[in-house]
Amino acid sequence: MKKLLLVFAAILVLLLGACSDSSKKMDEETKELNVTMDVKEVIKEGKITFKGMTNLPENTKLVITLSNDDNFKAQSKVIVGDSKFESEQFSNKGNSLQSGIYRVGVTMEIASVQPKSVQAIIGNDSENLKGELVIDGDSGKTIEFSKKIEIVGAEKINHEVLIKEFKEQILSYYNRINDEYDSQKNSFDPATWGAFARDFREETNKSRSQINQSALNQGEQMQIAPAFVDLQMLLTAYAADLQNRGDDKEIDRLKSQIEDSLK
């Protein structure tokens, strides 16, 4: 009987060991994570929010990017919670986005900047991630989801018309400052010039602010915004000249730059 019990115990140990080995194999097999993701857009009054579902681990850091062919680009960082994530609201500097086709992309930040709890699941180099969303990025393996969407309802802004309107403002300011300068040449009145200069600076500052808040992209803004700086510098150069301490070369340079911006 004693011998029988010993044999039974030995068989039990072998069975438990086999189960343990089997469990380890299963753990190794289940380390792979076939990444899934779905993203829905919520559009309200020309502004948009993205809500997503994914099987990426809790607290995974993601970046959502919205862009179009008119050089609009904005990003929102989100964190996965309960298999969900939600972006902040995308807009055009607080205004409605232009109507048109946009691309939304969701990327995962590389494993080295993810929390330790996330790295434990995806791997130190994201080696456990599998599926069609997984890519080899410049800084390591990551995931990338993208799709095109259409935003309808916000008025599409004609950038050429908007640039033309700002150039008309520049021309108006340029003519005004030249007229005031010419009228002061023969009989300079510091008080009159000072009042003109204060109003001129205030108005040109407002126009510069309008450009920064406009729908123009950064490149388009840089085409015209410097002209408003040149106008204020010309104001200073004219004031110096009216007081017989001016620099004709500096005046000519500023006038040339302003006129070039109007072309």
Side-chain angles (χ1 to χ4, degrees):
M1 185 69 176
K2 193 174 182 179
K3 185 181 282 187
L4 186 61
L5 287 172
L6 289 172
V7 171
F8 178 76
I11 293 172
L12 185 61
V13 169
L14 290 172
L15 287 173
L16 289 173
C19 288
S20 177
D21 290 342
S22 176
S23 177
K24 286 180 181 178
K25 286 183 179 180
M26 286 178 66
D27 286 342
E28 290 174 358
E29 290 173 359
T30 55
K31 277 185 178 180
E32 289 190 357
L33 178 62
N34 190 24
V35 181
T36 62
M37 183 176 290
D38 186 35
V39 179
K40 303 293 185 184
E41 59 274 10
V42 179
I43 303 173
K44 186 177 181 180
E45 297 178 352
K47 302 171 186 179
I48 188 166
T49 301
F50 295 100
K51 297 183 178 182
M53 296 287 293
T54 182
N55 63 343
L56 286 167
E58 192 87 353
N59 296 319
T60 300
K61 298 178 181 179
L62 304 174
V63 178
I64 302 177
T65 304
L66 181 67
S67 59
N68 67 8
D69 291 337
D70 287 329
N71 294 318
F72 174 88
K73 185 176 182 180
Q75 291 186 322
S76 173
K77 291 188 176 183
V78 299
I79 295 176
V80 176
D82 194 24
S83 300
K84 303 173 185 176
F85 58 87
E86 182 173 346
S87 76
E88 60 187 350
Q89 190 179 65
F90 287 88
S91 67
N92 183 14
K93 299 174 183 175
N95 300 314
S96 297
L97 294 162
Q98 296 181 47
S99 294
I101 303 299
Y102 289 75
R103 178 175 294 280
V104 56
V106 182
T107 56
M108 185 191 77
E109 295 189 14
I110 58 175
S112 61
V113 301
Q114 296 289 349
K116 294 296 183 183
S117 59
V118 175
Q119 292 182 33
I121 297 173
I122 68 175
N124 293 333
D125 297 310
S126 300
E127 66 271 14
N128 296 337
L129 299 182
K130 306 296 177 183
E132 60 183 16
L133 297 179
V134 181
I135 63 168
D136 290 319
D138 295 336
S139 301
K141 186 179 287 188
T142 181
I143 67 103
E144 186 175 273
F145 170 96
S146 68
K147 71 174 184 177
K148 289 184 178 180
I149 60 172
E150 183 175 7
I151 298 178
V152 180
E155 181 182 355
K156 186 169 179 64
I157 297 171
N158 189 318
H159 286 224
E160 291 184 2
V161 170
L162 193 54
I163 290 173
K164 183 180 178 182
E165 290 175 356
F166 281 121
K167 285 186 175 182
E168 287 174 352
Q169 287 187 29
I170 294 169
L171 179 60
S172 175
Y173 288 132
Y174 187 51
N175 289 335
R176 279 175 56 194
I177 193 173
N178 285 327
D179 289 344
E180 185 65 27
Y181 171 68
D182 290 339
S183 70
Q184 292 277 343
K185 273 184 178 179
N186 296 326
S187 57
F188 177 52
D189 181 352
T192 302
W193 179 266
F196 168 79
R198 283 192 296 273
D199 290 342
F200 190 84
R201 288 186 185 280
E202 183 178 345
E203 291 178 28
T204 50
N205 281 335
K206 285 182 179 178
S207 293
R208 287 176 63 190
S209 179
Q210 289 173 359
I211 291 174
N212 292 334
Q213 297 299 319
S214 73
L216 297 179
N217 62 53
Q218 189 173 14
E220 291 168 334
Q221 290 180 17
M222 289 304 298
Q223 290 179 27
I224 53 180
F228 289 92
V229 178
D230 289 337
L231 282 165
Q232 293 190 358
M233 292 177 66
L234 182 61
L235 181 71
T236 301
Y238 274 165
D241 188 65
L242 290 171
Q243 298 172 67
N244 299 315
R245 51 184 179 83
D247 183 341
D248 289 342
K249 288 185 178 180
E250 176 67 0
I251 290 174
D252 289 342
R253 182 185 71 82
L254 291 169
K255 291 177 70 173
S256 177
Q257 288 182 177
I258 293 168
E259 289 165 8
D260 284 345
S261 72
L262 297 169
K263 295 178 180 177

